[in-house]
Amino acid sequence: SKSDDGFCSAPSITESDEKTKPIYWKVTNPTLSPSHLQDLPGYTRSVYKRDHALITPESHVYSPLPDWTNTLGAYLITPAMGSHFVMYFAKMKEMSSSGLPPKDIERLVFVVEGAVTLTNTSSSSTKLTVDSYAYLPPNFYHSLDCVESATLVVFERRYERLGSHTTELIVGSTDKQPLLETPGEVFELRKLLPVSLAYDFNIHIMDFQPGEFLNVKEVHYNQHGLLLLEGQGIYRLGDNWYPVQAGDVIWMAPFVPQWYGALGKNRSRYLLYKDVNRNPL
Ligand SMILES: NC(=O)N[C@H](N)C(=O)O
Ligand SMILES: [Mn+2]
């Protein structure tokens, strides 16, 4: 190393440093190792394309949510991308409360952190903790109030009426939903909403053990908004193959080829918006 008599004593990686490193040093100290990428200026795994987007946590931008109090929101999927729904995170702070969606908009909230209290005009208040959710029909008065802190993932869309069907308030939690048949597939499936025609979307909770993958290489008319709740793996979207991990959000436009393979040592679980029960015409 250099003597201490220079003015410039900050350590720096110089060519001579590189030359003093043992042979093969880069094999075990790769410049682009994931731990370096985390903090690399300007680096993100997020992508935005015509028929899909991957939005990873280092890209989330929060601002006050209109009509909510003490709450920051990050809209992750909106009609500007071509979707007919919005998906956003709502970070509720101390003594915060929700606003109402616009006229004819239905809402589903799922708690990923903390707890909120749901109040409406008819029934008594309900506490929603992590893994629980509420479906609020269009034009249904309600308030979500938070004393300490909570993070919600919220889906909203304009309700598409069908005949005289109407939807109802639904409160539940993933662990209380029954496992459903998935012919030809290995993943475990739960749905958060009834499968009846009144509902124009559903939220699927899909679990994969490491090494399991989607059997169908899906291409379909439905849209998706996905939040990876646990685990890691590879998501194929069109001709792209993305490493993904818990916290990542994906937008899938109609007909984007899609496939998931779970990797790592732990279960993958994702939450998936899917429009259903309506004629695409
Ligand atoms: N990308 C997906 O996981 N899609 C679901 N299996 C679905 O469309 O139901
Ligand atoms: Mn699908």
Side-chain angles (χ1 to χ4, degrees):
S1 72
K2 289 203 275 169
S3 61
D4 314 330
D5 54 11
F7 290 107
C8 183
S9 57
S12 64
I13 301 202
T14 64
E15 233 178 71
S16 64
D17 280 336
E18 292 284 332
K19 285 200 184 109
T20 60
K21 293 286 188 255
I23 190 168
Y24 306 142
W25 178 75
K26 285 260 171 172
V27 173
T28 48
N29 297 276
T31 312
L32 295 180
S33 72
S35 62
H36 291 138
L37 290 178
Q38 296 278 332
D39 299 320
L40 195 60
Y43 176 78
T44 177
R45 289 185 296 113
S46 294
V47 297
Y48 175 60
K49 300 201 185 229
R50 184 193 65 77
D51 58 5
H52 68 272
L54 169 64
I55 303 158
T56 57
E58 73 279 1
S59 301
H60 296 173
V61 176
Y62 284 90
S63 46
L65 271 180
D67 306 324
W68 297 49
T69 57
N70 274 339
T71 304
L72 291 175
Y75 282 98
L76 302 166
I77 300 175
T78 81
M81 291 166 151
S83 67
H84 63 215
F85 67 95
V86 297
M87 174 176 176
Y88 57 97
F89 279 130
K91 274 200 191 297
M92 303 188 73
K93 296 181 280 189
E94 242 177 65
M95 304 307 284
S96 54
S97 44
S98 64
L100 285 170
K103 187 167 180 289
D104 299 335
I105 302 295
E106 57 188 335
R107 168 184 277 173
L108 184 133
V109 301
F110 181 96
V111 183
V112 291
E113 178 264 320
V116 294
T117 303
L118 169 68
T119 313
N120 66 82
T121 47
S122 42
S123 52
S124 55
S125 304
T126 318
K127 190 169 179 188
L128 301 177
T129 55
V130 173
D131 202 46
S132 41
Y133 62 95
Y135 167 82
L136 299 317
N139 309 314
F140 179 87
Y141 176 84
H142 65 277
S143 180
L144 297 156
D145 300 284
C146 175
V147 179
E148 281 178 2
S149 83
T151 304
L152 312 177
V153 55
V154 187
F155 296 90
E156 291 169 358
R157 68 168 288 187
R158 187 165 304 279
Y159 179 60
E160 194 179 326
R161 248 159 246 297
L162 182 68
S164 58
H165 293 286
T166 54
T167 62
E168 300 179 340
L169 168 70
I170 291 165
V171 175
S173 66
T174 302
D175 62 352
K176 300 223 170 61
Q177 296 306 110
L179 278 177
L180 303 173
E181 291 293 315
T182 55
E185 294 285 3
V186 291
F187 61 81
E188 289 189 338
L189 174 65
R190 293 175 174 84
K191 295 186 181 181
L192 301 189
L193 296 180
V195 294
S196 65
L197 283 178
Y199 296 84
D200 60 2
F201 75 91
N202 214 320
I203 302 289
H204 295 188
I205 303 288
M206 295 172 54
D207 293 347
F208 299 78
Q209 296 306 319
E212 294 183 343
F213 52 87
L214 278 176
N215 184 37
V216 179
K217 300 84 181 164
E218 298 179 13
V219 176
H220 53 61
Y221 79 94
N222 321 71
Q223 321 188 349
H224 286 316
L226 179 155
L227 170 63
L228 193 55
L229 291 166
E230 295 180 302
Q232 53 182 217
I234 303 286
Y235 227 101
R236 177 185 180 163
L237 298 164
D239 290 335
N240 307 274
W241 304 72
Y242 298 107
V244 292
Q245 62 184 2
D248 290 353
V249 168
I250 295 173
W251 151 242
M252 290 177 246
F255 298 106
V256 69
Q258 56 198 257
W259 176 89
Y260 183 61
L263 294 170
K265 293 205 185 292
N266 300 111
R267 168 179 89 176
S268 281
R269 165 172 282 184
Y270 60 70
L271 176 157
L272 187 78
Y273 168 96
K274 182 174 188 174
D275 54 306
V276 292
N277 291 332
R278 295 296 180 272
N279 188 320
L281 279 174

